[in-house]
Each structure stands twice: as structure tokens, then as C-alpha cells.
Amino acid sequence: MSKVVIGMANENLESDLRSLLDELSGFTVEAVATDTARLAEYVARFEPDLVLLHDALGPEPAIAVIRDLTGRHPAAAVIQISPERSTSTVIRALEAGARGVVAYPFAFEDFSSRIQDAVDWSRQMRRILEGAAQAAQRDRGQVVTFVGAKGGVGTTTMALHLAIDHHTRQPDERVCVVDLDVEKGDVSALLDVRQSVSVADLAKVYQDLSATTVSDALIEHESGISLLLAPVDVRQSESVTPESLRAIVALLRRGFDLIVLDAGGYVSPAQGAAIELADETVVVTTPDVLTLRAMRKRILAWEALGVRHEAELRVLVNKVDRSSIFPPDAVPKLTTATVLATHVPLSTRVLEPAVNERDPQAVTDTNWWKLMTSVREELSKIGSQPARRALQEPVTPEPASRTRRRPWLRGGRDRGATALEHVGILPLALGLGVLMWHVAVVGLGAAFLGQATTEAAREFAITGSATKAQAAARATLPEAFGKGVVVTGKDGVIRVTLDLPAGTSFIPQLSSSVTVVREPS
């Protein structure tokens, strides 16, 4: 199906266009813009194959809009809709970058032929651009963005340690870490570095940037990686715009094999641009209800902004505590993103030297760095192709002479006793696991019930409709839980009932009631 965006403020002409497109098979209208600003927004969001632009659409002139759209979206075929198809009108449209002019009242044969030619051209252009992008991809560095489900989940720690581990394993490759948590960046604090020039200073002059200017703003850390820091003055964060980040990252790609963007745990224009520019986006979360709820909100915000779909994300579960009642294995059931199989345990003692000395290399625990390597092996797009192959090579096992034999492996009778003990413990372990899972589901359901009750009460106070309150409550919850929400209201009291997913809990249903004071009309 070919995607179409219409720029038209005349409802009669719009209706005629839709009728003609319905007669032509293979076209779907994604959006209709009633002004030029919305048209530019819709074209950027939907990336259509065909744009039908009425020359009377304002407030900007049609020729200027065509020139802007074709410059920003070279694969989109723009057709101008005009009351006349004179020679001068066609020449001006073609010079601006349009693929043709269609006059109205519409003639089906003329309309269908020009539309089809434009769509064929758009498909050919996309193939050419995709080929050029793939060729350029082979010669440029990879961008990996780390974002947090919320603050305090360890986003900066993961970004820095994985970058340093990559450089340690691949010393011939250049690695750069960019702190894009422009309001609360911690890269400088964790590495004990300071510099007057920040990413905000580069953003202010992004239209005149050069590779030399960007290189002068970088700090060469003793670990071997390069750093581009966040601004010290929070007021400068307004300078870091999506446009400026595109220019900065494009220049960094030319000089580095791996660019790690630490985008923090707060939704902002800078974070959205960092996710959009990334070849791989890693969402760092912890296995608890509040953080997973925050992660869900972040993902919905990114999808609403059109920067990245949930299925394209990677999720890294950090700070896993065995004593926690929420199992990390439950995280994949709460998101369609790819959850990494490698979980990072809670390692306060291990990371304490790095925090105290402000140097990640102060961590001497080899198991920690093996864990970082294991995480990088799952992130297949980190680094260049040779590096990826090196990362995917199996770890050579230690020689048998260095393996410490355990006492209970020396005698056959001891091995049998150990096996019997395992058989006896297995049912108990399974039962305990099932119990913990049920408790976790009940806890998660209780949190969702409170959220649904708040939304339902707010809607009921405004509209007085239990049906609308139920719809509002369902809209705030994941689909697995939202389907089980029922809201009833009587005499100013609403009751919210939440059916837990079948087979997931020994408590099939949770409920709560709240008295609502209606707002005056």
C-alpha cells in the first residue's frame, strides 16, 4: 500500500480526492493537513510515498512548501493541486521539486496516470536512498543510546562501563561517550573530569560545525575513551535541540567507531533526538513495579512523539536482587521490546571503588567485566562488523588444571546423595517460585488498581458517566490488565474491579471504592 498525505483546506476537493484514490487500488490516506505547518508535521511523521498539496493551502506559499518538503524528504513525491495547469504553473512546481501538477475539476485518466508515475518514482527513489544509506552505514560509526526508565536505575553506569569494556576488548577502535542528560548529567562526576566546552556550546553553532570544532570540544579520558560533557549551567540545556544533535552526531560518526549517548531518564527533546538517531536503543530498568510503570510511560511517550516503536527497543534489567519478590523474568511479559537475557545483579559493593575513586577501571572484579561483555554480545549492533564478530566469539574455558574440584564430586556415593537431595528440593523450589510469582502479580495488580481508580474517579467527577470512567481507567493500563477493569457508579460512589489475568494469581479479582464529589456544571 502506498501512503498518502493530503494538504487541503477545501472539504469538497478533499472529498473528490478521496473518491478518486478509493477507485485506484493500493492507496491509503494517512492524514489530511489543513495548514502548511501541520502538513510538514504529518509528512515527517508518516513518511508518505505521495503528498497531494493544494496550492491555496496556507499560510506559507505552495512553492516554498514544495521546496521544503522535497529537500527534507527526497523520497516523497509531491503533486500540486491547482485550478489550472498552465505552462508557468507546471514550470514553477517542477523547479521547486514537485513531480507534477493536477488541475481540477479532476479527470480520472489524467489524475490516475500522474499519481501512478509519482508513486513509481517515489519507490525507485527509496531504493536508491536505502542503498546509499547501507553503503554509508558500512563506513560510519555505530550509535547506541542508553535511556533510563526513570532516574537512579544506573543508566550512566551501564553506558560508561560498557563503553570502557568495548574499548578494552577492541583497543584499535575509537569510542566516544556523549552526556545528553543535559539537566542532570553525571558522566563528569563519575569520571572526575571537567571542561568549559560542552555539548550545549557545540549546539549553539551547529550550523557552522566542523570535525575540528567537535574534536576540540572532546576530552580524552585516561581509559582511552573520548567524552563530550553536558553543560554545567542548566540554562544552556535549551540550546541542545534535535537539529543541533543531528549535526553533532553526524560528525562524531565520521571519527569514531562507537558513539554511546547517555540520554538520561527524563523525556525531553534531547532524549527524543538521541533515540531517533540511534542504531540501537537500550532502556535500563530495575525489576520493580514503580520503575516498570515509569518505563511504560516513557515508551508510550516515545511512540506518541514518533521517535521509536516499542518493538525496536532493547531492555536491560539492572540491579537484580535475589531477595526481591518481583522476578526479573516477569519483565518480558510486560513489554513487546526485546529484553536482554543477561541481567545485571545488584552490585553495590563491587561498584563502590569506581564511585569512590571516580574511575570505572577501579572495579577489579573480573566477573563484573565478564558480565559487561555478555551484555555487549547481545547488543549485536555495538561496534563495527569485525568487532561484532570478535564479541560473538565464545569465551575460551579455563584449563582443566586450574579448575577447582569440589569435595562432593570425588566419590560416586556422594554424587548420588547430591542427586537425591536435588530431587527432593526441586518441588519445593518450584512451589516457592510459583508463590513468589503470584505475590508479584497481586502487587502489580494492586498498583494498577490504584492507578485505574484515580483515573476513573477523575473522569466520573467531570462527566458523571461510569462508562466513560471505565474507558479512562482502561486507557491507563496495559492491555493484559485493562481488559479486566469494570467501573460501576451509584450515589456518588464508584467501585473499580480489576480481574487479574487468568492463571496468574491465586486471587482472581481486586476491587476498591471511592466517594466522588461531582464538579459543578
Side-chain angles (χ1 to χ4, degrees), residues 270-462:
Q271 187 190 72
I275 296 173
E276 185 179 12
L277 293 170
D279 299 303
E280 196 80 73
T281 299
V282 182
V283 183
V284 182
T285 185
T286 53
D288 59 84
V289 174
L290 292 179
T291 304
L292 292 172
R293 180 184 175 189
M295 181 184 75
R296 187 65 187 169
K297 288 184 176 181
R298 299 290 186 274
I299 292 175
L300 292 176
W302 298 331
E303 288 191 335
L305 294 172
V307 295
R308 192 62 62 102
H309 294 293
E310 182 175 0
E312 300 172 349
L313 302 172
R314 302 287 185 97
V315 176
L316 172 61
V317 183
N318 189 25
K319 299 183 179 181
V320 175
D321 189 355
R322 293 182 179 179
S323 62
S324 173
I325 64 171
F326 195 104
D329 294 337
V331 177
K333 301 178 182 180
L334 303 176
T335 177
T336 59
T338 301
V339 180
L340 301 185
T342 304
H343 299 156
V344 181
L346 182 63
S347 308
T348 306
R349 294 280 183 91
V350 174
L351 296 177
E352 188 174 4
V355 177
N356 294 339
E357 300 181 26
R358 296 188 177 186
D359 181 10
Q361 293 181 305
V363 178
T364 57
D365 189 339
T366 57
N367 290 329
W368 172 260
W369 295 110
K370 288 180 179 179
L371 189 66
M372 294 297 99
T373 300
S374 178
V375 172
R376 292 192 305 109
E377 287 176 353
E378 291 195 66
L379 299 175
S380 59
K381 286 189 176 181
I382 289 186
S384 60
Q385 292 290 344
R388 246 178 278 162
R389 288 195 295 270
L391 289 177
Q392 293 171 353
E393 292 177 358
V395 178
T396 304
E398 294 184 357
S401 59
R402 295 179 59 186
T403 303
R404 298 179 60 184
R405 295 184 177 272
R406 304 191 183 276
W408 58 79
L409 295 181
R410 294 176 182 173
R413 287 178 297 180
D414 290 339
R415 285 198 301 269
T418 303
L420 289 174
E421 290 175 0
H422 288 174
V423 171
I425 292 174
L426 182 59
L428 179 61
L430 291 176
L432 182 60
V434 171
L435 177 62
M436 291 177 63
W437 166 252
H438 282 258
V439 171
V441 171
V442 172
L444 187 61
F448 284 148
L449 176 63
Q451 178 182 345
T453 302
T454 301
E455 294 297 328
R458 183 183 295 112
E459 184 68 24
F460 189 81
I462 297 173

Side-chain angles (χ1 to χ4, degrees), residues 10 27 34 42 86 99 119 130 176 181 186 206 210 250 261 287 324 347 351 371 379 419 450 465 470 486 516:
N10 187 314
F27 292 90
T34 55
Y42 290 155
S86 63
R99 298 306 304 167
V119 170
E130 288 174 0
C176 180
D181 190 356
D186 288 329
Y206 77 93
S210 65
L261 306 181
S324 173
S347 308
L351 296 177
L371 189 66
L379 299 175
S465 170
Q470 178 173 296
V486 177
V516 179

Side-chain angles (χ1 to χ4, degrees), residues 11 13 23-24 32 43 84 114 148 155 165 211 241-242 262 280 306 311 321 329 333 337 339 344 407 412 485:
E11 295 183 358
L13 286 179
E23 294 185 38
L24 300 173
V32 177
V43 172
E84 61 175 359
R114 296 189 186 281
T155 307
D165 182 65
T241 62
D262 175 13
E280 196 80 73
D321 189 355
D329 294 337
K333 301 178 182 180
V339 180
V344 181
V485 173

Side-chain angles (χ1 to χ4, degrees), residues 103-352:
Y104 60 84
F106 303 111
F108 181 79
E109 294 296 333
D110 177 67
F111 179 84
S112 60
S113 63
R114 296 189 186 281
I115 293 300
Q116 194 59 55
D117 290 344
V119 170
D120 291 342
W121 175 88
S122 175
R123 291 172 180 169
Q124 180 65 23
M125 180 60 69
R126 288 190 187 280
R127 285 193 289 267
I128 294 173
L129 293 175
E130 288 174 0
Q134 291 174 359
Q137 185 74 17
R138 292 192 294 268
D139 301 325
R140 67 177 188 170
Q142 297 290 323
V143 175
V144 180
T145 295
F146 284 81
V147 293
K150 67 181 186 65
V153 297
T155 307
T156 303
T157 298
M158 290 295 100
L160 283 176
H161 284 243
L162 287 169
I164 291 175
D165 182 65
H166 179 87
H167 182 70
T168 302
R169 290 287 300 270
Q170 304 294 330
D172 295 334
E173 295 197 359
R174 299 193 66 197
V175 179
C176 180
V177 176
V178 183
D179 192 351
L180 291 182
D181 190 356
V182 291
E183 295 182 0
K184 302 178 181 179
D186 288 329
V187 170
S188 60
L190 290 179
L191 297 180
D192 194 20
V193 292
R194 291 289 186 274
Q195 186 164 334
S196 58
V197 181
S198 68
V199 65
D201 297 305
L202 294 180
K204 294 176 183 177
V205 295
Y206 77 93
Q207 293 179 330
D208 300 318
L209 276 182
S210 65
T212 303
T213 306
V214 174
S215 178
D216 292 341
L218 299 176
I219 298 175
E220 297 297 329
H221 189 254
E222 59 185 13
S223 63
I225 65 174
S226 299
L227 304 172
L228 182 56
L229 302 180
V232 177
D233 189 348
V234 69
R235 293 173 296 181
Q236 297 184 17
S237 61
E238 297 179 356
S239 304
V240 185
T241 62
E243 293 76 13
S244 62
L245 284 181
R246 291 188 184 97
I248 293 171
V249 172
L251 289 172
L252 289 175
R253 283 184 184 272
R254 300 179 187 177
F256 291 89
D257 300 286
L258 172 63
I259 302 97
V260 177
L261 306 181
D262 175 13
Y266 305 92
V267 177
S268 64
Q271 187 190 72
I275 296 173
E276 185 179 12
L277 293 170
D279 299 303
E280 196 80 73
T281 299
V282 182
V283 183
V284 182
T285 185
T286 53
D288 59 84
V289 174
L290 292 179
T291 304
L292 292 172
R293 180 184 175 189
M295 181 184 75
R296 187 65 187 169
K297 288 184 176 181
R298 299 290 186 274
I299 292 175
L300 292 176
W302 298 331
E303 288 191 335
L305 294 172
V307 295
R308 192 62 62 102
H309 294 293
E310 182 175 0
E312 300 172 349
L313 302 172
R314 302 287 185 97
V315 176
L316 172 61
V317 183
N318 189 25
K319 299 183 179 181
V320 175
D321 189 355
R322 293 182 179 179
S323 62
S324 173
I325 64 171
F326 195 104
D329 294 337
V331 177
K333 301 178 182 180
L334 303 176
T335 177
T336 59
T338 301
V339 180
L340 301 185
T342 304
H343 299 156
V344 181
L346 182 63
S347 308
T348 306
R349 294 280 183 91
V350 174
L351 296 177
E352 188 174 4

